[in-house]
Amino acid sequence: MDTSKLKKFAQFARRTLREQVSAKLTLVLSLNSAARRESPQAVKKLEEAIAQSGGQDPVIERVAYTWFNRFCALRFMDVNRYTRIGVVSPAEGQFQPEILLEAKMGHIDEDMVPPKARQKIADLLAGRAPSHDGQGEAYRLLVVAACNAWHQAMPFLFQRIDDYTELLMPDDLLSGNAILAYTREAMTPDACESVEVIGWLYQFYISEKKDAVFEGLKKNQKITPENIPAATQLFTPHWIVRYLVENSLGRLWLLNRPASKLAGQMAYYIPPEKPETDFLKINSPQDIKVCDPACGSGHMLTYAFDLLYAMYEEEGFDPAQIPELILTHNLYGIELDERAGELAAFALSMKARTRQRRFFNKRVKPNICVLENVSFSSEELDEYMDAVGRDLFTRELRSTLEQFGEADNFGSLIQPKLTSVTDTLVTLEAKDMGGSLFLAETHRKVLAVLRMADYLSPRYHVVVANPPYMGGKGMNGRLGAWAKANYPNSKSDLFAMFIERNLDMALSGGAVAMITMQSWMFLSSFEALRSRILNQHTILSMAHLGARAFDSIGGEVVSTTAFVLENAHKPDYRGAYLRLVDGNSEAEKMEMLTKAIEQGRVK
């Protein structure tokens, strides 16, 4: 995929949307604005959000990102004809969006657009309603209605727009210089053939913010929690994703189904030298749980979807049921950035829709957990404990509830103290706390923490990740101190802590597949980590990539290694090791890897 046009567009889109949202914000907040008269509650929510965020900029960033995600999602679905009518795309040979042209001819989808909005749109287009831009205003109402209509199928991305998000929607969506014109130009039908385009757009959208964060590092400015996602995002090339997933998830399947033909479609799979008898057993594809604890826009998970679909097919499952089964039983993602989490869930939904035309009617929500800060006062927990019973409210439970006050800083590295999270969650979900407003809010927060803790519990057959890379010099004070206290063997970098964390999240005999910085292989500061891996786990394979494995960042900036570990110690196992450091680009390294595997030159 040629990503240069996507990069130029995404960076331009962020700047443009921020400018337009900022201008709308100034207009909306002006003393005698129309918004204050017509939508006083929405303006009140906006002012509260600004106060809670510590200023206007975080709100501007959030709203701009929200509209970027929605516009890109609508364009992707338009191109692939997942929408009944083009919402942001024109019909062939036309210039204006199809939904607007149809409305101008009197055809407005009654299932999509509520009666009041339909009447207003008709009046605006007929000139019966006063407006300085009747056509533009009518189209904005159509877009809002379309987003709200998608809420039922994809609530994670299309939250109902009845607040300040609509007030801050860009005015110009129809001109040749509008953001939607540039969206269509960048997201061509060719680019939208693969949902991978969503991941590239996410990386490029935040790339300038990432550059700013790294400029700050040169001035000794630490990376704050809100900047961790931008500072650590790096989209993984597809061939590396395939190597990791095929040699973890694919390997697990082939060990359990030696007669499977799946190996024929796994070009990066490295078979074991000898037949194995000691491996993690599964009875059905429904048993398999795959987690990406730093999932970003979901690239690892979308390829895992493809392999899982093939597994279900081999087992004779009804094709109409397979997408729902995969998203319900098999795939789990954890993420810090709410917008990235939305895109990961969207990408998985698009994968499912590709395989099943009626998938949207099923209203299946992918298992993507966006970690959020949740804190309690001691008095709050004491009162809640009295209400639910002290026999249930153990010390472990209380400790776990107190672990998520800085979830945006510590992320998936949090290790829940409670070992029976699922059982406790089920028990508490059955409790009715509606009789007390105070207890009801505490109950909601408790359940939110336990649902996050459930994702972070050790229950996965496969953990696959391109974790964040951040050395101690970049960590803010709280993160640095917490790392030393909780990960003494790997505290020097987030990626190293994730190696340990992922091993703890995997079942005994499960696989951990990662691409990380190569430094843990050599530096003395990681000696204890190496000792743990060599003495408690097993290296199944490793592709030492070195520099230039990521064309999107170029040069010698990041030197990496990709590897697959088994969460079991097999001292006699002979792993497969590939040295690919001599390749000068993604393409060269990919070719070296495939040739080595094809020719059996694995040493």
Side-chain angles (χ1 to χ4, degrees), residues 50 52 79 87 104 133 137 151 160 179 183 348 355 361-362 372 385 393 399 419 455 461 534 560 570-571 592-593 599:
I50 291 170
Q52 292 169 2
V79 169
V87 179
K104 288 164 74 172
D133 178 18
E137 191 175 341
H151 171 76
R160 284 205 173 276
I179 188 66
T183 304
L348 287 172
R355 296 285 191 171
N361 295 335
K362 297 177 181 290
E372 60 177 333
M385 180 170 61
F393 211 89
S399 296
T419 55
Y455 273 82
H461 297 75
L534 294 173
T560 57
K570 297 179 178 178
M592 291 169 67
L593 176 59
Q599 298 172 8

Side-chain angles (χ1 to χ4, degrees), residues 16 58 135 181 188 205 213 233 235 268 270 281 292 326 461 474 543:
T16 301
Q135 190 168 251
T188 63
Y205 184 89
V213 172
Q233 164 61 21
F235 190 68
Y268 296 90
I270 302 172
K281 305 298 191 295
D292 183 343
I326 292 174
H461 297 75

Side-chain angles (χ1 to χ4, degrees), residues 186-211:
M187 295 183 69
T188 63
D190 286 345
C192 292
E193 283 184 359
S194 169
V195 77
E196 186 179 329
V197 68
I198 299 298
W200 285 115
L201 287 170
Y202 169 63
Q203 169 159 316
F204 294 140
Y205 184 89
I206 62 175
S207 61
E208 291 184 333
K209 185 176 181 181
K210 180 176 185 174
D211 293 341

Side-chain angles (χ1 to χ4, degrees), residues 347-414:
L348 287 172
S349 296
M350 294 304 100
K351 275 287 184 181
R353 171 57 182 81
T354 300
R355 296 285 191 171
Q356 220 288 314
R357 287 179 57 84
R358 299 184 182 277
F359 174 76
F360 292 143
N361 295 335
K362 297 177 181 290
R363 299 179 186 176
V364 176
K365 184 180 178 182
N367 296 313
I368 302 296
C369 174
V370 177
L371 299 175
E372 60 177 333
N373 293 351
V374 180
S375 57
F376 304 87
S377 67
S378 295
E379 295 78 10
E380 186 179 8
L381 287 181
D382 288 341
E383 186 168 343
Y384 185 77
M385 180 170 61
D386 290 337
V388 301
R390 292 179 178 267
D391 55 332
L392 175 64
F393 211 89
T394 63
R395 182 180 300 175
E396 277 188 338
L397 173 55
R398 186 169 188 133
S399 296
T400 299
L401 294 176
E402 293 170 342
Q403 286 184 283
F404 288 81
E406 295 181 76
D408 63 342
N409 208 7
F410 308 147
S412 297
L413 294 173
I414 295 171

